[in-house]
Amino acid sequence: MQEFIHQVLAGLATGGIYGCVALALVMIYQATHHINFAQGEMAMFSTFLAWMFIDCGIPYWGAFALTVLLSFVIGAVVEFVVIRPLHNAPVLSIVVVFIGLLVIFQSMAGWIFGYTIKPFPSPFPIDAWYGSRLMSAHEVGTIFVALVMVALLFTFFRFTPLGLAMRAAAQNPASSRLVGIRVGRMLMLGWGLAAAIGAVAGMMVAPVVFLDPSMMSGVLLYAFAGALIGGIDNPVGAIIGGLFVGVLENILGAYVVGSELKLVVALVVIIAVLIVRPSGLLGKKIVTRV
């Protein structure tokens, strides 16, 4: 029984990471109605930047803040330079661009930092008081970071004028322009926020999976599954879906399919949700009158 509880709690920790990446996917989807397949690689590249800052002697939390800020700038630049000119492009063109961004970020990381697997430090000491036999200090810290980030984002989008303007621009661009909201700028800020969220997720998962240019490939699949379960247009659903996928992955990996087939769980979940309930558990079902 104790082992089962450990698997559930550890699943919540990894699920918090999946939820963060799923939240970034949802933010991009709300703004563009497309899935950013390069979200995981952008997070990986940001984590390499954090590793570089730490290796240069910058304290962890200083490197953390600098990486989040720089990731925000990178996301905003990608939207302005690459995505905005494709505003009226065919869907297939946008999908190809997202796949191209995935390959570019992965190749740049390998070219600049190398393909050798690197250890990434955890900011949470192994012998911290909040660690236990059921949950390590890093797992507890990961859940705490995810909850703090969700609380900050909720406060920002719910109670600040800029957050409300970004929500309006994502949900109804035409009406937003009529009331004076600069939609292009809001979408650029949304991409920046999504990249910053992905950077946090990358820095939390790197101490577990180690740092290499392919480290986020599986994480993105689990996050995508979580986003689909919660509803690809629902930020709260993305977090809930990510937690669910994390727990499901751990339990099935430990007692059913084994660690070698855990990634298959995410693929099965994605296919099942698309077949049974494409809008997700908390997503909006759009009905068009003909």
Side-chain angles (χ1 to χ4, degrees):
M1 185 63 184
Q2 189 176 15
E3 177 63 24
F4 179 80
I5 295 174
H6 169 70
Q7 293 295 339
V8 172
L9 294 177
L12 289 175
T14 54
I17 296 171
Y18 300 156
C20 291
V21 180
L23 181 60
L25 290 173
V26 167
M27 290 181 64
I28 299 300
Y29 182 83
Q30 285 186 326
T32 65
H33 297 288
H34 298 289
I35 299 297
N36 181 13
F37 296 107
Q39 191 70 59
E41 312 310 314
M42 292 172 66
M44 172 273 300
F45 190 81
S46 297
T47 309
F48 266 109
L49 293 178
W51 174 83
M52 180 183 68
F53 295 145
I54 294 171
D55 193 54
C56 290
I58 299 176
Y60 182 93
W61 291 112
F64 181 94
L66 187 58
T67 300
V68 170
L69 179 61
L70 191 56
S71 299
F72 179 91
V73 174
I74 292 174
V77 169
V78 168
E79 192 282 332
F80 183 77
V81 175
V82 180
I83 304 301
R84 190 172 300 186
L86 297 172
H87 177 65
N88 294 317
V91 174
L92 183 59
S93 299
I94 297 175
V95 171
V96 171
V97 167
F98 282 144
I99 295 174
L101 285 173
L102 183 155
V103 176
I104 289 171
F105 276 104
Q106 189 176 74
S107 300
M108 283 180 58
W111 176 53
I112 297 172
F113 303 105
Y115 289 94
T116 305
I117 296 177
K118 300 173 176 62
F120 191 86
S122 171
F124 311 108
I126 297 177
D127 56 350
W129 62 268
Y130 43 83
S132 67
R133 287 185 297 175
L134 292 177
M135 289 191 75
S136 67
H138 183 78
E139 290 170 341
V140 175
T142 298
I143 293 177
F144 176 76
V145 170
L147 291 177
V148 169
M149 188 165 56
V150 170
L152 290 175
L153 287 173
F154 175 80
T155 303
F156 174 73
F157 284 113
R158 181 77 174 179
F159 300 110
T160 66
L162 181 59
L164 293 172
M166 289 178 64
R167 288 174 59 192
Q171 294 174 5
N172 197 327
S175 299
S176 298
R177 290 188 179 94
L178 292 176
V179 297
I181 296 175
R182 303 185 69 170
V183 173
R185 183 172 296 179
M186 295 300 106
L187 297 182
M188 185 172 64
L189 290 176
W191 269 79
L193 276 178
I197 294 170
V200 174
M203 287 184 281
M204 290 297 105
V205 76
V208 179
V209 301
F210 296 102
L211 184 59
D212 77 280
S214 301
M215 73 171 196
M216 293 296 289
S217 301
V219 175
L220 183 65
L221 278 176
Y222 289 123
F224 187 33
L228 286 176
I229 289 176
I232 196 65
D233 58 353
N234 191 312
V236 177
I239 299 296
I240 296 174
L243 293 172
F244 174 80
V245 170
V247 173
L248 185 67
E249 172 211 358
N250 264 27
I251 293 177
L252 293 182
Y255 301 110
V256 182
V257 298
S259 58
E260 295 83 2
L261 296 177
K262 286 200 300 184
L263 194 58
V264 176
V265 173
L267 298 174
V268 171
V269 168
I270 290 173
I271 294 172
V273 171
L274 289 175
I275 293 175
V276 178
R277 190 177 174 85
S279 60
L281 299 179
L282 301 177
K284 298 177 182 177
K285 184 179 291 186
I286 299 176
V287 178
T288 304
R289 180 175 294 178
V290 180

